[in-house]
Amino acid sequence: AQSVTQLDSHVSVSEGTPVLLRCNYSSSYSPSLFWYVQHPNKGLQLLLKYTSAATLVKGINGFEAEFKKSETSFHLTKPSAHMSDAAEYFCVVRVPTDSWGKLQFGAGTQVVVTP
Amino acid sequence: DVKVTQSSRYLVKRTGEKVFLECVQDMDHENMFWYRQDPGLGLRLIYFSYDVKMKEKGDIPEGYSVSREKKERFSLILESASTNQTSMYLCASSPDLIPSSYEQYFGPGTRLTVT
């Protein structure tokens, strides 16, 4: 079985400071991992994905995430938050044994950026 | 760009009504998915389809059915709407047979209120 846990339901940061969104997964197999972002009243957009290549993954809008197998973590970071980063972020896992590409979503982290 | 469209952004229905939510994708994707999104629960998979006229239950199929008569269109049906089906509904699609990817592309969502 596989699951994904986002450790913070809400994160508040000041503009220009670093952002850290924490995600832990459990999987019996080497997983594919994703971060999606959802801006208010918008659909989900892929930020980045890990698929067993480089463990440090760079995504759009200056975000990156590091896959740490020993810690079963896939935390999302950004060096300097921008007001436009205010959104909800989802950590997602896909198990290779599922042939249909089903995804399992974390509960989400709401990010607030203050001026 | 992949485009996934949903027929309505907002919908208000009465208890007991039959409700149809429509989703169309324009990238010839084999797989299509219906999720519901509730605060604190992330996205939960209702049904998915891997081919025309084929469907599989997701994690929470009770009270829902689906139809896929054409490759580009995937419909979610609430046979008799109930208040506990008030939620945001998201449609997604993905191409098949890309083992390192399995990225899903999402529509903007339909916010359904059942009164």
Side-chain angles (χ1 to χ4, degrees):
Chain A
Q2 71 290 333
S3 69
V4 57
T5 302
Q6 293 183 241
L7 299 171
D8 307 290
S9 59
H10 288 83
V11 168
S12 183
V13 297
S14 299
E15 190 176 19
T17 65
V19 181
L20 169 64
L21 306 184
R22 299 181 294 166
C23 173
N24 286 108
Y25 69 92
S26 66
S27 175
S28 303
Y29 301 87
S30 182
S32 296
L33 293 159
F34 308 80
W35 277 98
Y36 280 83
V37 61
Q38 185 180 33
H39 288 93
N41 300 312
K42 296 285 181 68
L44 273 74
Q45 179 184 19
L46 182 69
L47 270 180
L48 49 80
K49 61 186 176 187
Y50 166 77
T51 54
S52 75
T55 56
L56 184 62
V57 182
K58 293 190 183 299
I60 62 172
N61 301 335
F63 284 94
E64 63 181 35
E66 186 171 9
F67 173 70
K68 292 187 176 180
K69 187 175 181 178
S70 60
E71 298 176 11
T72 61
S73 69
F74 190 56
H75 300 336
L76 181 70
T77 60
K78 183 173 179 177
S80 176
H82 190 272
M83 296 299 291
S84 61
D85 295 326
E88 189 159 22
Y89 293 78
F90 294 95
C91 184
V92 184
V93 64
R94 183 210 166 257
V95 176
T97 54
D98 181 84
S99 59
W100 309 120
K102 286 190 294 181
L103 303 178
Q104 183 153 7
F105 286 75
T109 298
Q110 189 70 46
V111 171
V112 174
V113 182
T114 56
Chain B
D1 274 355
V2 176
K3 193 163 186 183
V4 180
T5 57
Q6 296 182 230
S7 51
S8 305
R9 291 301 303 275
Y10 300 93
L11 210 52
V12 179
K13 295 292 182 180
R14 294 193 180 275
T15 302
E17 279 192 85
K18 190 169 186 176
V19 182
F20 292 87
L21 302 182
E22 305 284 342
C23 175
V24 176
Q25 51 96 1
D26 66 358
M27 282 302 291
D28 201 37
H29 285 172
E30 287 78 10
N31 304 324
M32 296 188 75
F33 307 81
W34 274 108
Y35 296 89
R36 64 176 284 174
Q37 181 181 10
D38 300 289
L41 296 178
L43 276 69
R44 293 178 291 167
L45 182 64
I46 304 172
Y47 266 98
F48 67 101
S49 169
Y50 52 91
D51 201 351
V52 176
K53 297 189 185 298
M54 305 304 289
K55 61 185 179 185
E56 290 283 340
K57 292 180 180 180
D59 299 319
I60 52 165
E62 296 78 18
Y64 303 94
S65 62
V66 290
S67 172
R68 193 166 180 201
E69 297 296 320
K70 294 184 178 181
K71 190 174 185 180
E72 68 271 17
R73 188 179 297 269
F74 192 36
S75 302
L76 180 70
I77 304 157
L78 287 66
E79 294 289 343
S80 178
S82 64
T83 54
N84 63 11
Q85 292 178 311
T86 292
S87 186
M88 172 71 88
Y89 290 88
L90 291 165
C91 176
S93 71
S94 71
D96 203 7
L97 301 179
I98 302 178
S100 64
S101 179
Y102 296 105
E103 175 184 349
Q104 291 184 14
Y105 298 84
F106 284 84
T110 295
R111 187 167 293 282
L112 172 68
T113 302
V114 183
T115 62

